[in-house]
Amino acid sequence: EWKRIGAHLVNLKKKNRVAFLLDNLSLAGLRQFPLETTGDHSYNAVMRWLADALYRRNIEFDMVSSGERNFSAYDFLVVPALYAASDDLLGALDRYVAEGGHLIATFRTGFADEQLKIRHDVQPHLLCRCLGIHYDQFTYPKNVRITTADGRSALAHDWMELVTCDTATSLAHYDHPFWGSYAAVTENAYQKGSALYLGTFFDDKLLESLLVSYLTRHGYDGLSEDTPQFPLIVKRGTNDFGKNLCYYFNYSDEPRTVTHTGNAGTDLLTDTPVAAGA
């Protein structure tokens, strides 16, 4: 069964659908009010931080416009730095989670309205209940680390929000003598769905770990340490003849071995059969 969501035709029977919400207004807004070191590239830096992490773990995703209001076709919606957003859009994100979606949002989300006027109420605007947090202080981190509950650590950079958990659970806090009581990464259960919030920028390795853990806990199938990851990239698609294709890319300078997890098929380069699990 297929359904048109805005300009996108999506297969409702396909599981594990992940989408990125992309917003040109927020891109423009963060050029005017950038992160500490990324300047004009602030929005794209946050978007690529998340997108590259999923790419390295072979988690495929769609990209949808912030002009959409119905995200129900997707199990997971990733929202990078939605700096400028209308109440209508933020309300749609709240409903998405309430109805069973899983939201991954970052710092600088809900910060300004669609005219780039800074919101004067508690941040993040209209998403406090959904995310289960609030904050009214932020700064540029200097020699500040974040630490997870199981002791993993990473250096914060470019922006940090001093997040207070209301109903959310803190997954990582700031390792700092004055800011140690504030959360850096949180997760919240909200009605039928959940929300992960990243309150600061940190390194790729920890980000990957947190994203994979969150996705797995909320039903994303097939993620484990044995699952292919960069430099082995797996892509799947359907050609004009309705045939399912699986592409294996090796972006290293050495031969690699990978287990074929799809259906039995044929190696198109050698015309030899490939069994599932080979």
Side-chain angles (χ1 to χ4, degrees), residues 96-174:
Y96 166 76
V97 178
E99 293 170 0
H102 302 290
L103 180 71
I104 301 171
T106 78
F107 49 91
R108 304 300 290 273
T109 290
F111 209 82
D113 67 14
E114 59 270 44
Q115 281 78 43
L116 301 185
K117 180 180 179 181
I118 305 301
R119 303 286 191 176
H120 65 270
D121 57 346
V122 175
Q123 296 281 358
H125 180 68
L126 289 189
L127 292 178
C128 288
R129 287 194 310 153
C130 166
L131 296 170
I133 63 168
H134 73 273
Y135 71 91
D136 55 17
Q137 298 180 82
F138 50 85
T139 187
Y140 294 142
K142 303 296 182 184
N143 301 316
V144 179
R145 300 190 70 83
I146 69 169
T147 301
T148 64
D150 58 4
R152 290 170 296 164
S153 180
L155 189 68
H157 61 87
D158 275 293
W159 187 264
M160 60 180 283
E161 295 166 353
L162 305 182
V163 172
T164 296
C165 290
D166 298 321
T167 58
T169 299
S170 174
L171 302 183
H173 69 276
Y174 295 110

Side-chain angles (χ1 to χ4, degrees), residues 2 235-247 260 263-268 271:
W2 295 78
K235 295 292 183 184
R236 293 180 171 85
T238 306
N239 67 11
D240 291 341
F241 302 101
K243 299 291 187 180
N244 294 324
L245 301 179
C246 180
Y247 306 86
H260 178 59
N263 297 327
T266 302
D267 183 337
L268 296 181
D271 200 33

Side-chain angles (χ1 to χ4, degrees), residues 47-211:
M47 187 276 288
R48 286 296 302 268
W49 179 52
L50 293 161
D52 289 352
L54 297 186
Y55 171 80
R56 288 190 297 268
R57 297 304 296 253
N58 282 300
I59 300 167
E60 296 187 77
F61 51 84
D62 290 348
M63 294 186 177
V64 299
S65 166
S66 58
E68 307 292 346
R69 293 295 180 268
N70 182 357
F71 310 109
S72 60
Y74 298 99
D75 297 320
F76 299 91
L77 185 65
V78 184
V79 179
L82 187 62
Y83 178 80
S86 66
D87 286 2
D88 185 47
L89 175 55
L90 296 175
L93 295 178
D94 182 280
R95 288 193 303 275
Y96 166 76
V97 178
E99 293 170 0
H102 302 290
L103 180 71
I104 301 171
T106 78
F107 49 91
R108 304 300 290 273
T109 290
F111 209 82
D113 67 14
E114 59 270 44
Q115 281 78 43
L116 301 185
K117 180 180 179 181
I118 305 301
R119 303 286 191 176
H120 65 270
D121 57 346
V122 175
Q123 296 281 358
H125 180 68
L126 289 189
L127 292 178
C128 288
R129 287 194 310 153
C130 166
L131 296 170
I133 63 168
H134 73 273
Y135 71 91
D136 55 17
Q137 298 180 82
F138 50 85
T139 187
Y140 294 142
K142 303 296 182 184
N143 301 316
V144 179
R145 300 190 70 83
I146 69 169
T147 301
T148 64
D150 58 4
R152 290 170 296 164
S153 180
L155 189 68
H157 61 87
D158 275 293
W159 187 264
M160 60 180 283
E161 295 166 353
L162 305 182
V163 172
T164 296
C165 290
D166 298 321
T167 58
T169 299
S170 174
L171 302 183
H173 69 276
Y174 295 110
D175 190 1
H176 188 274
F178 307 118
W179 298 327
S181 62
Y182 294 105
V185 180
T186 65
E187 182 177 340
N188 188 50
Y190 179 62
Q191 297 190 34
K192 296 180 181 179
S194 73
L196 180 73
Y197 189 71
L198 308 173
T200 187
F201 229 147
F202 48 90
D203 75 25
D204 296 340
K205 186 176 181 180
L206 182 56
L207 174 65
E208 282 185 40
S209 177
L210 289 168
L211 291 178

